[in-house]
Amino acid sequence: MEQQKNFSKKATKRKRAPLSKHHHMTIRWDEFIGDAGDELAIDASLKERAAIVGRIGILMLACGTGAWRVRNSMNSIARVLGLTCTADVGLVSIEYTCVELDESYTQTLALATSGVNTSKLTDLEWFVREFERHGRQMTISDIHYLIDQIRAKSGLYKPPVLGLAAALACGAFVFLLGGGLIEMICAFIGAGFGNYVRAKMNQHKITLFAGIFVSVAVACLMYMVSFRGIEALFSVSSRHEAGYIGAMLFVIPGFPFITSGLDIAKLDMRSGLERMAHALTIIIVATMVGWLTAMSINFKPEDFIPLQLTSWQLLALRLPASFCGVFGFSLMFNSSPKLASTAGIIGALANTLRLELVDFTNVPPAAAAFAGALLAGLLASILGKKAGYPRISLTVPAIVIMVPGLYMYRAVYNIGLNSISVGAYWLTQATLIVLALPLGLIAARILTDPKWRYSD
């Protein structure tokens, strides 16, 4: 009886805040500090140092970056703290072990969902670089305080701004696909409302499938409403309805698509395959919802009405349109305006090169996509070093505008109508381009990054 009473006292003394009732329980990192908050991190216990390594890894993963960058950051922190770290990284989870002499500490961390935040990723990369220089002089409390500051940063933009960013990106996207002013205006309206709804649903932590379903349906319906209004006012051709596909391209999963290829290239097969499955899931759901919505409002993905522009006029317009498209997508990834502008410059040059190769040479679309991605990777290496931005924050927005969303949608649309041969043609074209994009970035990375070039 006396032993039970003593245990009850100890339990009361160690009592913490109530445990989370959410499906994914929150780890209270302050409990890892213990009584050694003012102690230098390098002198802390193995568990306390390993917790710092794990926090950096899971925050990097939450920003949407790939397994190689997550592991590289964890290794950098571990080396300063005198640890050896090995990590197995997935899409939303990390299992890692920190080793010191004959002791080891293993932990598993998981995220509730996957997302993208390039602004926070930039802050984390800055933290890792500074930790390599000054980490041995920092206390446990100082380190956790800085990490808490980064973790607590909210998104840079509210839903109305994210809606405008998607509107700008998709309006430019439609022009680059061959659409005219009417298609651009309707896509601007549709994508703006669609991404605004998605951002509001994300604020309320609505599950992924529901967010995609509702936002894509809203985008298509708002395109239809705006087009019918223009059609009634100005008696325009019904062929302008084809731009509705562009209104839903804001859901393109650029980060998981590109990082899946990069991870597979570095033999991070778990992360690569999980990211690829995640990206394919989003695309399948989005295209199916778009197809069902189009069937219900009797829209068809016909060819755009040819634009009466000379080759020089096209070139002059493609550069700013590509910039606007990449700038908008970059804002949706929570990039700062300066970072988004840098990515926009890279994307303008890379995407215009791709389009010019397709239009004025015999280069196949997939080979042109490889050339565009290669140029984007080379430019990101140069500009990223000068500006201090993570390379992936520049390359992914710059080439996401090259992802063949129109081809993917046409493939699903035709397969849904049992036109298997036509659907297979568009699916093959889309697959070749999707494979070429990460290959271009991989080639650029091998040429410019010695750490990436070698397997050890």
Side-chain angles (χ1 to χ4, degrees), residues 204-215:
H204 295 283
K205 303 187 184 304
I206 303 298
T207 190
L208 175 68
F209 276 27
I212 297 172
F213 190 103
V214 174
S215 62

Side-chain angles (χ1 to χ4, degrees), residues 281-323:
T281 299
I282 294 174
I283 289 172
I284 291 171
V285 173
T287 52
M288 287 294 293
V289 173
W291 171 59
L292 292 172
T293 306
M295 294 291 291
S296 65
I297 60 178
N298 198 30
F299 272 14
K300 298 178 181 178
E302 299 178 354
D303 292 333
F304 292 106
I305 298 175
L307 300 175
Q308 303 302 316
L309 297 172
T310 67
S311 57
W312 287 107
Q313 288 173 329
L314 268 178
L315 175 62
L317 291 173
R318 279 172 173 171
L319 285 167
S322 297
F323 175 89

Side-chain angles (χ1 to χ4, degrees), residues 10-29:
K10 291 180 181 179
T12 303
K13 186 177 180 180
R14 291 179 54 83
K15 188 175 181 180
R16 297 292 187 267
L19 295 177
S20 169
K21 294 184 179 180
H22 296 297
H23 182 65
H24 291 270
M25 300 177 71
T26 301
I27 293 178
R28 292 184 56 84
W29 292 103

Side-chain angles (χ1 to χ4, degrees), residues 355-366:
L355 294 173
E356 295 296 304
L357 287 174
V358 171
D359 286 351
F360 302 109
T361 69
N362 293 323
V363 175

Side-chain angles (χ1 to χ4, degrees), residues 30-112:
D30 57 302
E31 295 183 357
F32 282 81
I33 299 177
D35 298 325
D38 296 328
E39 184 181 13
L40 289 177
I42 58 172
D43 297 326
S45 68
L46 172 60
K47 182 181 78 169
E48 290 166 333
R49 285 177 288 159
I52 295 171
V53 175
R55 286 200 75 183
I56 291 299
I58 201 67
L59 283 176
M60 294 285 289
L61 189 65
C63 293
T65 191
W68 184 87
R69 189 175 297 273
V70 172
R71 184 179 295 105
N72 186 60
S73 299
M74 295 176 72
N75 288 343
S76 297
I77 300 296
R79 290 189 188 100
V80 176
L81 297 176
L83 302 175
T84 299
C85 178
T86 178
D88 184 20
V89 184
L91 173 67
V92 292
S93 62
I94 299 174
E95 292 83 38
Y96 74 102
T97 299
C98 287
V99 180
E100 182 183 39
L101 299 177
D102 60 343
E103 293 184 281
S104 65
Y105 181 83
T106 299
Q107 193 171 47
T108 299
L109 302 173
L111 300 168

Side-chain angles (χ1 to χ4, degrees), residues 113-320:
T113 187
S114 178
V116 178
N117 192 326
T118 54
S119 176
K120 191 175 289 188
L121 178 61
T122 302
D123 290 344
L124 285 168
E125 293 232 331
W126 169 85
F127 175 86
V128 172
R129 289 195 300 267
E130 291 299 305
F131 194 87
E132 288 177 319
R133 296 169 56 191
H134 307 296
R136 296 181 66 84
Q137 291 80 46
M138 298 176 67
T139 66
I140 292 287
S141 294
D142 291 338
I143 294 169
H144 280 285
Y145 173 78
L146 291 174
I147 296 175
D148 286 339
Q149 294 293 105
I150 296 173
R151 180 182 178 276
K153 288 185 66 175
S154 58
L156 297 177
Y157 310 107
K158 301 296 183 183
V161 178
L162 293 174
L164 286 174
L168 178 66
C170 292
F173 215 144
V174 167
F175 172 76
L176 295 169
L177 291 172
L181 183 61
I182 294 174
E183 291 92 339
M184 292 172 65
I185 293 172
C186 296
F188 184 95
I189 296 171
F193 276 96
N195 200 48
Y196 171 79
V197 169
R198 184 173 69 156
K200 292 294 288 185
M201 295 180 75
N202 287 339
Q203 279 189 339
H204 295 283
K205 303 187 184 304
I206 303 298
T207 190
L208 175 68
F209 276 27
I212 297 172
F213 190 103
V214 174
S215 62
V216 169
V218 167
C220 292
L221 291 173
M222 288 307 300
Y223 185 99
M224 184 268 291
V225 170
S226 56
F227 174 68
R228 293 304 183 202
I230 293 175
E231 188 180 35
L233 291 172
F234 302 103
S235 300
V236 298
S237 170
S238 61
R239 287 184 61 187
H240 290 294
E241 70 185 28
Y244 77 92
I245 302 171
M248 63 182 189
L249 294 180
F250 60 87
V251 298
I252 289 178
F255 257 80
F257 237 142
I258 302 306
T259 53
S260 69
L262 298 176
D263 282 346
I264 290 172
K266 295 297 290 183
L267 299 183
D268 281 306
M269 302 304 291
R270 175 192 166 193
S271 177
L273 293 176
E274 287 182 11
R275 289 175 182 277
M276 184 179 296
H278 177 61
L280 289 174
T281 299
I282 294 174
I283 289 172
I284 291 171
V285 173
T287 52
M288 287 294 293
V289 173
W291 171 59
L292 292 172
T293 306
M295 294 291 291
S296 65
I297 60 178
N298 198 30
F299 272 14
K300 298 178 181 178
E302 299 178 354
D303 292 333
F304 292 106
I305 298 175
L307 300 175
Q308 303 302 316
L309 297 172
T310 67
S311 57
W312 287 107
Q313 288 173 329
L314 268 178
L315 175 62
L317 291 173
R318 279 172 173 171
L319 285 167

